[in-house]
Amino acid sequence: MTENDYIHIKEVESLLEREQGEEISIKELLLRFLYNWKWFVAGTFIMLVLAFLYLRYTTPTYRVTSSIILKEVRNQRMMPPTIRGAEGIQLEALGAVSNLDNEMFVLRSRSTIRDVINRLNLHTSYIVKGRVKSSDLYTNSPVIVSMEQGQLDALKENIEFMLTLNEELTEVTVQGTIGNLDIDTSFTTLPAQLHTSVGDISFTRREGKTSFSPTLYVTVMHPNAVINQYRRALSVEQASKQASVLNLSIETYYPRKGIDFLNMLVEVYNNETIEDNKMEAFNTQSFINERIAIINSELSEAEQSVEDYKLSKGLTDLEIDLQRNMQMGSSYEQQLVKVETQLNVVNSLDGYINNPENARKTIPTNVGVEDPTLAATVSEYNRLLLERERFSAGMTDDNPVMVRLDEQIEGLRQNVNASIKSVQQGLSIQRRDARNQANIYGGRVGSMPTREREFMELSREQQIKASLFLMLLQKREENALELAATANSAKVLDEALSEGIVSPRLILVLLAALLLGILLPALFLYLRDMLQYKITTRSDVEKISKVPVMSEIPHHSEESNVVVKEGSDNSINEAFRIARTNLMLSLGADNKVVLVTSTVSGEGKTFITINMAISMALLNKRVLLVGLDLRIPRLAHYMGIDEKNGITSYLSGFEKEIDHLIQPSGIHENLFVLPAGAIPPNPAELLSRPTLDKAIETLRNEFDYIFIDSAPTSQVADTLLVGRVANTTLYVCRADYSNKNNLRFANSLMKEGKLKNMLLVINEVRHHKSGYGYGYGYGYGYGSKRKRRKR
C-alpha cells in the first residue's frame, strides 16, 4: 500500500467524524458553478429534451367542474325543542338542519359512484391505439358492448378483446381471450350476443355515431375496479363556511366522460335523497300517529283530573286572586322603600344642620327631599347666608345691617329645624302605614291553601299534554306535505364544464426542466466537493484548519524550483512578496529562525523554503537556508550546489566550525545555504544533540534570517526535535494533493504546542473563474517511497 493510499483510507474512515455545520461560501460555490458552465448547459439541454418527450407522449389530464346548492329542506325534518312525554321519552330526533360534511361523504360514497358508473357504462372502454397516444371513443364508439348487471358484478378479472369493424358494420369480428378461452368469431348483423364462460356479452349498434375506427380494443371491468379510480379523481369541497354550496370537480383524461360523470352524479344524488326523504316521511308519519293516540289519551285523563278537583274543592279562578294580592303587596313594598329612603335623607340633613361646624355653611338642596315647605325655607336660608357673606367683606359684625341679617338667618335656621321635624314625623307615619299594608297582603299570599298548589300542579300537567298534542298535529300535517313533495335536494348552479388541461402544464414542465437542468449539475458538483477527501479551495482549508493562513502561493508552470527573481512582477513573485510581508509582521524584530515543514512529503515545503529565503534576501537581508531534512535531503539538489558536506558533519563532530560548511547560493549575494550533507544513520539522535542549539545560536549572530527546511511531521519525529530552535513554523499544505486529515493533524500539533507560532501556507493555488482550483506536480517520498518525483 502506498503512502497516498494509506492517507486516503484514513480519510474515508474519518468521514463519520467530520465536523458538522461548516459554513459554505456562496460566492465560492457560484464561481465554481460558473467555471463548470458546460455541465449546466448539458444538463439543461437534456432536461428540455426529456420535457419535450414527456409532453409529446403523456396523455393530458383535464379538470371538469360543476357547483350545486343543497336545499335545507332535504334534512329539515321536524325538530322541536326537546320535550319529555308522560313516559319520559325524549322527542328530539325528529330532524336536523343539513350537514354539509355528511352530504360531501354521500356524494363521494362507493354506492353513489357505483350507480353513476353503471348508468354511464364507464366500466367499459373502447380504445383506439394511435402512433403516439391511445384514446377512448366513449360514446363515439359505433358499437355498444354490455353485460347484465349480475354477470358484470360477478366478474373476477377484466375482459379484454379486439373488435374489427367495417364501415357499414355489416361484419364485426371479436378476437381475444375470454374466460381462459380463445375467442375468434364474427357477426354479420347487430344486435348480437356472445356466450362465454363469464357471461353473455351483447353487441349493439350505437345510433348517431360520430367517428369510426376499423379496430377497437374493448375492456370490460368489474364496477368496483373503477370506483376507486373515480373516487380519487373526484373532489367535493364547500364553497364557503356560510353557504350550502358545494364545488364538484374531477380530473380525467377524457373531458366528455368527466362532464357526464358530474351531471349523472347530481342526478343519482337527487334520486337517492328523494327516496330517502319518502322513506323517512313514512316512518315519521307512523311514529307521529302512534304518539298522537297516546298523548290524546293522557290529555283526556289530565283534563278530567282538573275538572274533578275543582268540583271536589269548590274552586273558582284562584290564580287571578293570587296575582292581585301579589301585585298589591309588591306595590306597598315599593312605597315602603321610597318612604324609608326619604326618611334617611331627612335624618342626614338634620344631622348636617345641627352640627356646630356647619353653622355658617349653606344647607344642601336637591338631595331628594320632596317637602315643598322645607325646600323653600332652605332656599331662603341659603340666600340670606350668601348675602351676609357678600356684606361681610365691607362691614363689621356690629353693623346694623349685619345684625339684622344674623337675626333673620337664625330665625330661618329654627324654621328649617322645625320643618325637618315635621317632615320626619310625616314620613314615619307613612312608613308605618306602608309596612302594615305590605304585611297584610304578604300574609294573604303566604296563607294560600294547599289545594291551590295542588290545583296548579294538575293544571300544569294538562297544559304540557295539550301543547304536545297540538305540536304533533302540526308535525303530522308538515310530514304529509313533505311526503307529497318530490323536489330535488341539490340544485345545479353551474353546469359541468371542462376548464382545460391541468396536467401536464407546458410552463410548469419547462420550468421544472430548467430548474432540474440547473439543480442536478449543481447538486452533483456540490456532492463531489463534499465527498472530496483532498483540500481543493482555501475555503476547505479554513473550514478545517485552526492554524492561521499566512498566504497562498499560486500554481506556476516553470520547471525550476527557483521562481522568485529580482525585478519580476508576475503573480507568483507577488504572492511571495505578500507572504514575506506577513511573515515579517509575524516574526517581529528579534525573531529570526523560521522552520518550514508539512504533514507529508510532496506538499512543497522545500520549494516554499527556497523561494521565501530568496524573497527575504532581495530586501538586502543576510539570509541562510539550512537543510535539516536529514533523511531525504533535497535542498542542495534544488539549489544546484555541492551536497557532500553539510550540517550533519557539524552535528556528528567531524567539523568544528559551522561557518566552513556554509556555501553561497549562487542566486543572490545575500543568500547562503547550509546543506544537510551526507545522510546519517541516526538523524533523530543527531538533531537531539545540543550542538544543533549551539549551531543555530551561532548562525543567529551572523544572519538576519534563517530558514530551516525540515522533514514532514507525520512520518518522522525529526521536525518536532528541530522545532525547539525555531521562532516560527510555516506549515505547508498543497491544494489537490494534501489530505484534509493533514490539516487536522496540524491542528493537533498546534493545540499540543509541539511547534511554535504555526502559520499555514497554501501551495499550488490555481486561480480561475471558479475561485481556487489546484494542481501541482512535484514531490518526494519517505520510507519505502524514495523515488524522486520530477515536477
Side-chain angles (χ1 to χ4, degrees):
M1 180 183 297
T2 64
E3 173 187 327
N4 284 339
D5 291 337
Y6 174 79
I7 295 173
H8 175 64
I9 292 174
K10 285 295 184 179
E11 176 64 27
V12 173
E13 292 175 347
S14 67
L15 283 176
L16 295 177
E17 302 175 358
R18 186 170 297 174
E19 298 177 0
Q20 301 296 322
E22 297 176 343
E23 184 179 358
I24 300 173
S25 171
I26 301 300
K27 180 179 179 182
E28 180 186 344
L29 281 176
L30 292 176
L31 291 174
R32 188 175 305 165
F33 293 160
L34 184 62
Y35 177 74
N36 294 280
W37 62 270
K38 293 181 181 179
W39 286 73
F40 294 94
V41 172
T44 302
F45 175 76
I46 293 173
M47 294 309 300
L48 287 176
V49 171
L50 293 177
F52 172 77
L53 296 176
Y54 174 76
L55 293 171
R56 181 72 176 86
Y57 293 102
T58 300
T59 302
T61 302
Y62 298 84
R63 178 187 292 274
V64 180
T65 61
S66 177
S67 63
I68 60 174
I69 182 170
L70 300 183
K71 302 177 183 179
E72 293 186 354
V73 177
R74 177 188 186 275
N75 283 329
Q76 203 170 12
R77 302 279 180 260
M78 305 127 293
M79 189 170 185
T82 301
I83 300 175
R84 185 175 296 277
E87 296 85 357
I89 301 176
Q90 289 189 352
L91 304 178
E92 62 178 357
L94 295 179
V97 179
S98 296
N99 188 325
L100 289 183
D101 289 337
N102 290 344
E103 305 311 311
M104 292 164 63
F105 281 112
V106 170
L107 284 165
R108 298 188 73 251
S109 64
R110 296 182 63 87
S111 59
T112 303
I113 295 179
R114 179 189 178 91
D115 198 358
V116 175
I117 290 172
N118 288 333
R119 291 193 183 197
L120 294 176
N121 201 27
L122 294 176
H123 43 68
T124 303
S125 301
Y126 307 90
I127 305 299
V128 176
K129 295 184 177 180
R131 282 184 288 180
V132 177
K133 302 176 183 177
S134 299
S135 60
D136 190 345
L137 292 183
Y138 185 41
T139 57
N140 290 331
S141 169
V143 177
I144 300 175
V145 178
S146 60
M147 295 179 66
E148 292 184 0
Q149 191 63 45
Q151 295 176 344
L152 190 64
D153 293 337
L155 287 179
K156 295 183 179 179
E157 59 183 15
N158 296 341
I159 299 175
E160 297 180 356
F161 55 87
M162 182 178 68
L163 285 182
T164 304
L165 317 171
N166 60 9
E167 191 167 357
E168 294 78 17
L169 293 181
T170 56
E171 184 179 1
V172 177
T173 303
V174 180
Q175 295 175 322
T177 302
I178 303 176
N180 296 324
L181 293 178
D182 293 334
I183 303 296
D184 189 356
T185 185
S186 298
F187 303 109
T188 57
T189 59
L190 294 179
Q193 194 171 57
L194 177 64
H195 302 284
T196 69
S197 59
V198 296
D200 297 336
I201 305 174
S202 300
F203 299 87
T204 309
R205 181 191 297 267
R206 189 188 301 272
E207 299 298 333
K209 69 176 184 66
T210 59
S211 64
F212 174 78
S213 178
T215 304
L216 296 179
Y217 295 88
V218 180
T219 302
V220 181
M221 296 180 288
H222 191 289
N224 289 342
V226 190
I227 289 176
N228 290 334
Q229 173 186 346
Y230 279 89
R231 289 189 72 189
R232 287 193 299 268
L234 177 62
S235 173
V236 181
E237 297 178 349
Q238 187 176 356
S240 69
K241 293 184 179 180
Q242 292 75 26
S244 57
V245 176
L246 297 180
N247 293 328
L248 311 179
S249 66
I250 187 171
E251 294 185 359
T252 177
Y253 296 135
Y254 308 104
R256 185 69 256 172
K257 276 189 176 183
I259 292 173
D260 291 347
F261 179 86
L262 292 185
N263 290 334
M264 184 57 69
L265 178 66
V266 176
E267 182 178 341
V268 169
Y269 172 77
N270 281 328
N271 292 339
E272 289 181 352
T273 52
I274 288 174
E275 293 300 322
D276 292 343
N277 287 347
K278 289 183 177 181
M279 183 180 296
E280 292 176 8
F282 279 120
N283 294 335
T284 304
Q285 184 182 42
S286 176
F287 173 77
I288 290 176
N289 290 334
E290 180 183 350
R291 293 299 301 166
I292 285 177
I294 296 173
I295 297 302
N296 185 37
S297 176
E298 293 179 353
L299 179 59
S300 298
E301 293 177 1
E303 290 176 343
Q304 187 63 43
S305 298
V306 171
E307 182 180 354
D308 293 343
Y309 188 82
K310 283 188 176 182
L311 291 175
S312 64
K313 301 299 182 180
L315 298 177
T316 59
D317 195 350
L318 296 180
E319 292 183 1
I320 297 177
D321 294 338
L322 177 62
Q323 185 177 5
R324 182 176 63 252
N325 291 332
M326 291 179 66
Q327 289 177 350
M328 292 300 295
S330 176
S331 175
Y332 279 109
E333 287 288 346
Q334 294 176 1
Q335 183 177 351
L336 178 61
V337 171
K338 181 177 179 182
V339 171
E340 287 184 343
T341 301
Q342 287 283 318
L343 187 57
N344 288 333
V345 171
V346 173
N347 290 337
S348 299
L349 190 61
D350 183 46
Y352 180 84
I353 293 173
N354 293 324
N355 189 347
E357 295 180 358
N358 301 327
R360 294 296 180 181
K361 295 181 179 180
T362 58
I363 300 173
T365 60
N366 296 327
V367 292
V369 179
E370 297 180 354
D371 186 76
T373 303
L374 177 58
T377 306
V378 169
S379 178
E380 181 63 20
Y381 175 80
N382 288 341
R383 186 187 67 78
L384 292 176
L385 192 63
L386 292 174
E387 185 177 350
R388 186 187 184 284
E389 285 293 329
R390 289 195 303 271
F391 288 161
S392 63
M395 299 180 185
T396 60
D397 291 342
D398 56 355
N399 189 285
V401 176
M402 295 294 289
V403 172
R404 185 172 62 255
L405 284 174
D406 289 341
E407 292 174 352
Q408 292 176 354
I409 289 171
E410 185 60 29
L412 286 174
R413 190 176 187 85
Q414 293 176 2
N415 291 340
V416 170
N417 284 326
S419 296
I420 289 175
K421 298 299 182 184
S422 176
V423 171
Q424 287 175 334
Q425 291 176 0
L427 291 175
S428 297
I429 293 172
Q430 292 180 23
R431 180 177 62 180
R432 183 175 63 250
D433 293 342
R435 183 178 290 124
N436 291 337
Q437 291 297 324
N439 290 335
I440 291 172
Y441 286 103
R444 290 179 182 178
V445 174
S447 61
M448 181 65 65
T450 305
R451 60 178 178 271
E452 179 66 20
R453 294 195 297 273
E454 294 174 352
F455 172 76
M456 291 178 65
E457 292 175 0
L458 292 174
S459 178
R460 185 183 304 111
E461 185 69 19
Q462 177 197 5
Q463 293 175 1
I464 291 175
K465 298 297 182 182
S467 298
L468 184 55
F469 184 75
L470 291 175
M471 184 272 296
L472 289 174
L473 291 177
Q474 178 184 357
K475 294 304 177 183
R476 184 172 64 179
E477 294 302 317
E478 292 177 356
N479 188 71
L481 292 173
E482 186 170 357
L483 185 59
T486 58
N488 292 332
S489 298
K491 177 183 178 181
V492 177
L493 294 180
D494 296 318
E495 294 287 346
L497 179 68
S498 175
E499 292 186 348
I501 298 176
V502 295
S503 175
R505 294 186 177 180
L506 176 63
I507 298 301
L508 292 181
V509 171
L510 293 179
L511 288 177
L514 288 174
L515 187 61
L516 290 175
I518 295 173
L519 288 182
L520 291 180
L523 181 62
F524 170 76
L525 293 173
Y526 176 75
L527 291 178
R528 186 187 68 177
D529 291 342
M530 289 292 292
L531 299 177
Q532 176 70 29
Y533 71 94
K534 295 180 180 180
I535 61 171
T536 58
T537 67
R538 175 169 181 163
S539 176
D540 292 339
V541 174
E542 292 177 341
K543 290 175 194 174
I544 301 173
S545 176
K546 307 299 181 183
V547 181
V549 176
M550 185 190 78
S551 63
E552 300 168 85
I553 305 302
H555 170 76
H556 66 95
S557 58
E558 298 184 23
E559 292 295 329
S560 173
N561 288 304
V562 178
V563 296
V564 175
K565 299 176 182 179
E566 188 172 6
S568 177
D569 58 355
N570 56 21
S571 60
I572 194 167
N573 277 265
E574 288 297 333
F576 274 105
R577 291 187 186 104
I578 294 173
R580 177 185 66 192
T581 302
N582 294 338
L583 177 62
M584 294 177 68
L585 293 173
S586 174
L587 285 173
D590 299 328
N591 298 325
K592 297 183 176 182
V593 183
V594 179
L595 176 68
V596 184
T597 186
S598 63
T599 306
V600 295
S601 61
E603 293 180 297
K605 60 177 181 60
T606 305
F607 169 77
I608 297 297
T609 308
I610 294 172
N611 289 281
M612 282 297 297
I614 295 173
S615 180
M616 196 69 76
L618 294 178
L619 295 178
N620 290 325
K621 304 289 185 180
R622 283 177 57 81
V623 180
L624 176 65
L625 271 173
V626 181
L628 284 181
D629 185 353
L630 304 185
R631 299 177 186 267
I632 308 179
R634 289 288 180 266
L635 181 63
H637 172 72
Y638 290 164
M639 298 289 291
I641 62 175
D642 183 19
E643 55 183 343
K644 293 182 180 179
N645 296 318
I647 195 171
T648 55
S649 299
Y650 180 81
L651 296 178
S652 302
F654 295 109
E655 178 63 52
K656 301 301 182 181
E657 297 295 334
I658 190 69
D659 293 340
H660 296 167
L661 303 173
I662 297 174
Q663 305 178 37
S665 65
I667 297 173
H668 194 276
E669 59 182 6
N670 291 327
L671 179 62
F672 299 88
V673 181
L674 177 58
I679 299 176
N682 57 343
E685 288 74 10
L686 288 181
L687 295 174
S688 300
R689 293 178 181 178
T691 50
L692 175 62
D693 301 77
K694 179 180 178 183
I696 296 300
E697 187 63 30
T698 302
L699 296 174
R700 282 175 181 269
N701 298 326
E702 299 179 12
F703 294 92
D704 295 319
Y705 292 101
I706 301 172
F707 286 86
I708 299 176
D709 177 32
S710 64
T713 56
S714 66
Q715 297 171 324
V716 292
D718 298 3
T719 301
L720 302 182
L721 298 174
V722 177
R724 70 182 186 275
V725 301
N727 302 120
T728 294
T729 302
L730 297 186
Y731 206 93
V732 180
C733 64
R734 177 180 166 190
D736 257 355
Y737 181 88
S738 297
N739 192 298
K740 291 181 180 179
N741 274 346
N742 293 359
L743 299 179
R744 296 186 178 97
F745 182 75
N747 292 342
S748 65
L749 293 178
M750 185 177 72
K751 182 178 179 180
E752 296 170 6
K754 293 182 178 180
L755 294 175
K756 299 177 184 178
N757 301 327
M758 294 177 62
L759 297 173
L760 197 65
V761 178
I762 308 174
N763 189 25
E764 283 291 300
V765 177
R766 189 184 296 272
H767 294 275
H768 48 57
K769 294 181 181 179
S770 66
Y772 300 114
Y774 306 96
Y776 200 64
Y778 77 94
Y780 47 86
Y782 279 81
S784 63
K785 190 175 181 181
R786 293 180 173 272
K787 295 181 179 180
R788 179 179 303 178
R789 291 186 233 161
K790 297 184 179 180
R791 296 172 60 97

